[in-house]
Amino acid sequence: LFPYTTLFRSRSPTLMASWTPTSWRGKPSQQMAEYEDKAAAAATFAKLGKLPGLVQPAEVDRLRTVLAAAANGERFIIQGGDCAERFIDCEPDRLDAQLKLLLQMGAIVAQSTGLPSVNIARIAGQYGKPRSKPTEMHPEMGEIMSFKGDNINGYEPKERKWDSARLLEGYFHSSATLNYLRGLTTAGDLGAMSQVSAGELGAEAAKVAKAISSSKPSADFAEFFTSHEGMQLDLEEALTRKVGSAYYNLSCHMLWIGDRTRQLDGGHVEYFRGIANPVGCKVGPSMKNEELQELVKILNPDKVEGKLVLITRYGAGKIESMLPGHIEAVKASGVPVVWQCDGVHGNTVTAKCPGNLKTRDLNEVLSECTQAVAIHKRCGSVLAGVHLEMSGQATITECIGGATTEAMLPNNYETYCDPRLNFSQAIEAAFKISAAVQENPPAKRARARSEERRVGKECRS
């Protein structure tokens, strides 16, 4: 029933004995909220430890299986959602829009490339965010705590105290979100999901949209998984359950380590190395080749396919100089990984419009993603998918590109943290990324991989 439990038996007794869900506590951990009221925090974590898991171990195992297929070029991952979920957005219209955008993007990929999609939402738990500094200056209140997400503190300046009770609010909002989304897919109540708007993306996009609209959805169409950044380790520990001989984090199907918390000797790497879930790790420009080699060995010591996702996030101007070396370093390690491109985080800039708002240019986002496709092909590896921050809301103006100009950013800038692609920008991204993947069709990919591995030596130069 839970096949992953057997995979851990291949580890050495020493390594098995050295990891428990609490062993991260002996390591330095970054970005963690700490609470003044220790007794209240202890009661919160005790309660979380007794609540039911939000997902099932068999679902986690299923995700690992389809991620392994994506790593082999047989599927393509669309992972995306809010930068930081807000409790106020746990309402039907918002949740409908978010799920439908994700599944619609997956349908575009599947129709365009022939590769079934793996749909992973940043939802039902993405309530926390790392910040560059723990505090910030307020013009009237002076130094206050930085906003770290709804499950840590409030966005309003007077609500910035870290409050452990918010973790329970986060659990119940996650539960309500997941319950509602599961109900939509179980009942087949996906509304006008198949009505894809190709906009002015050309005849080929219109052809794909028509084919989706007129076809009967496949069994994969409504399958989705949940994910979030595993930042608050005491929270993640409380939601970890032992199943057979393995430990599953049952707050979601997949967690990832952020670029700020991936220290080899840190608490996050220690916790993530022991759980049965597929785990991701952001890989940015500061990652050294030898550091990445060591990291993948720690996070996937048993070399399990579909276990470890490397989410690269360099920026459109840096990917060519960084990704080939990272690919070769991972190859040399012998550890199988799932390569994914985060096209947004390396392309965040400050706009010149009033308010100095953070933004992203859709063209730069797409440039990094399409470059990733080409570089992986050249280096004999496979780009298994993309990771984006996006919203099903059609009217938000947080990123420039498409119909949104820099001057329009203040019109409807909703996000509490980083800017998200709006509905039309995300749909455009799906079409254009699919077109790049389609240049190396799935039927040719398996035959081409052996040849690509041979010529991949050029990436070492």
Side-chain angles (χ1 to χ4, degrees):
L1 180 61
F2 304 119
Y4 200 80
T5 59
T6 61
L7 297 174
F8 275 83
R9 295 173 189 159
S10 64
R11 293 191 181 188
S12 68
T14 301
L15 185 56
M16 279 291 289
S18 67
W19 188 90
T20 69
T22 63
S23 60
W24 65 269
R25 293 180 177 272
K27 305 281 187 177
S29 300
Q30 306 297 318
Q31 295 290 331
M32 296 274 290
E34 297 183 7
Y35 305 101
E36 293 180 8
D37 191 334
K38 304 299 184 184
T44 293
F45 293 121
K47 175 65 173 176
L48 287 166
K50 296 177 181 178
L51 289 168
L54 296 173
V55 302
Q56 295 297 318
E59 296 173 331
V60 174
D61 294 335
R62 164 68 178 167
L63 176 58
R64 190 180 61 256
T65 297
V66 294
L67 286 175
N72 290 323
E74 298 161 5
R75 285 177 172 264
F76 196 81
I77 305 162
I78 295 292
Q79 184 170 4
D82 288 318
C83 167
E85 285 181 275
R86 308 182 302 180
F87 292 165
I88 60 173
D89 292 332
C90 185
E91 57 181 34
D93 289 347
R94 290 268 182 169
L95 298 178
D96 280 353
Q98 207 70 339
L99 179 62
K100 290 176 180 179
L101 172 61
L102 180 74
L103 298 186
Q104 189 160 298
M105 292 175 71
I108 291 168
V109 167
Q111 183 64 42
S112 300
T113 67
L115 300 174
S117 63
V118 181
N119 308 311
I120 308 176
R122 294 170 57 111
I123 205 166
Q126 181 61 11
Y127 292 117
K129 284 294 292 183
R131 303 312 298 264
S132 299
K133 298 178 180 179
T135 62
E136 62 184 58
M137 294 303 298
H138 187 271
E140 298 173 0
M141 300 176 62
E143 189 175 30
I144 61 175
M145 303 305 294
S146 297
F147 175 65
K148 284 179 67 67
D150 270 0
N151 70 346
I152 302 296
N153 56 1
Y155 183 72
E156 296 301 320
K158 293 182 179 180
E159 299 177 351
R160 293 297 179 87
K161 182 180 178 180
W162 292 342
D163 180 1
S164 63
R166 283 178 168 269
L167 297 175
L168 277 172
E169 284 194 71
Y171 172 90
F172 288 113
H173 278 88
S174 297
S175 179
T177 295
L178 191 51
N179 183 63
Y180 182 76
L181 297 180
R182 289 187 190 278
L184 285 179
T185 58
T186 300
D189 187 14
L190 298 174
M193 169 63 64
S194 62
Q195 301 304 311
V196 178
S197 174
E200 297 179 358
L201 299 178
E204 187 60 32
K207 181 180 177 181
V208 170
K210 183 178 180 181
I212 293 173
S213 299
S214 60
S215 64
K216 183 178 180 180
S218 69
D220 292 324
F221 174 75
E223 183 178 40
F224 74 96
F225 302 92
T226 60
S227 66
H228 64 256
E229 180 176 352
M231 183 180 66
Q232 195 66 25
L233 292 177
D234 39 18
L235 170 65
E236 305 305 342
E237 176 194 322
L239 294 170
T240 302
R241 308 286 186 264
K242 190 173 185 180
V243 181
S245 60
Y247 287 91
Y248 287 75
N249 182 309
L250 298 182
S251 68
C252 65
H253 302 104
M254 171 187 169
L255 299 94
W256 72 87
I257 306 172
D259 200 39
R260 294 185 178 98
T261 54
R262 56 169 177 74
Q263 295 81 13
L264 295 179
D265 62 347
H268 289 79
V269 170
E270 172 63 21
Y271 172 78
F272 273 66
R273 78 175 177 88
I275 57 175
N277 304 60
V279 299
C281 186
K282 293 291 186 79
V283 178
S286 63
M287 178 78 81
K288 306 299 183 185
N289 291 346
E290 58 273 17
E291 181 184 11
L292 182 57
Q293 273 194 341
E294 185 64 22
L295 181 67
V296 299
K297 291 175 183 177
I298 295 172
L299 291 177
N300 191 10
D302 296 318
K303 299 183 179 180
V304 177
E305 292 190 2
K307 165 67 179 177
L308 177 58
V309 183
L310 294 183
I311 312 165
T312 61
R313 44 147 297 175
Y314 311 108
K318 296 180 180 179
I319 184 171
E320 181 61 51
S321 64
M322 299 296 304
L323 180 56
H326 284 160
I327 291 172
E328 292 306 315
V330 172
K331 285 182 182 178
S333 75
V335 176
V337 304
V338 184
W339 287 102
Q340 193 178 28
C341 177
D342 171 351
V344 292
H345 281 93
N347 296 300
T348 307
V349 297
T350 301
K352 297 177 182 178
C353 67
N356 296 321
L357 298 171
K358 287 194 294 185
T359 192
R360 289 154 176 164
D361 187 331
L362 177 60
N363 291 328
E364 294 297 293
V365 172
L366 292 175
S367 174
E368 181 162 4
C369 292
T370 55
Q371 285 184 75
V373 174
I375 292 169
H376 278 288
K377 177 181 177 182
R378 190 179 78 225
C379 293
S381 51
V382 174
L383 179 67
V386 293
H387 187 129
L388 304 171
E389 289 183 345
M390 62 199 192
S391 171
Q393 302 304 304
T395 59
I396 60 170
T397 53
E398 298 169 2
C399 295
I400 61 175
T404 305
T405 65
E406 186 170 306
M408 295 168 62
L409 292 179
N411 292 357
N412 190 13
Y413 196 94
E414 276 192 0
T415 182
Y416 283 175
C417 292
D418 289 341
R420 304 159 297 171
L421 302 178
N422 62 27
F423 175 83
S424 63
Q425 291 168 333
I427 291 296
E428 180 176 345
F431 276 112
K432 292 189 174 178
I433 292 168
S434 296
V437 173
Q438 193 177 15
E439 292 179 4
N440 190 29
K444 297 180 180 179
R445 295 175 98 176
R447 295 195 300 270
R449 268 198 295 277
S450 60
E451 176 64 14
E452 288 169 354
R453 291 191 185 99
R454 185 183 67 78
V455 302
K457 294 180 181 179
E458 69 178 85
C459 296
R460 299 188 181 97
S461 61

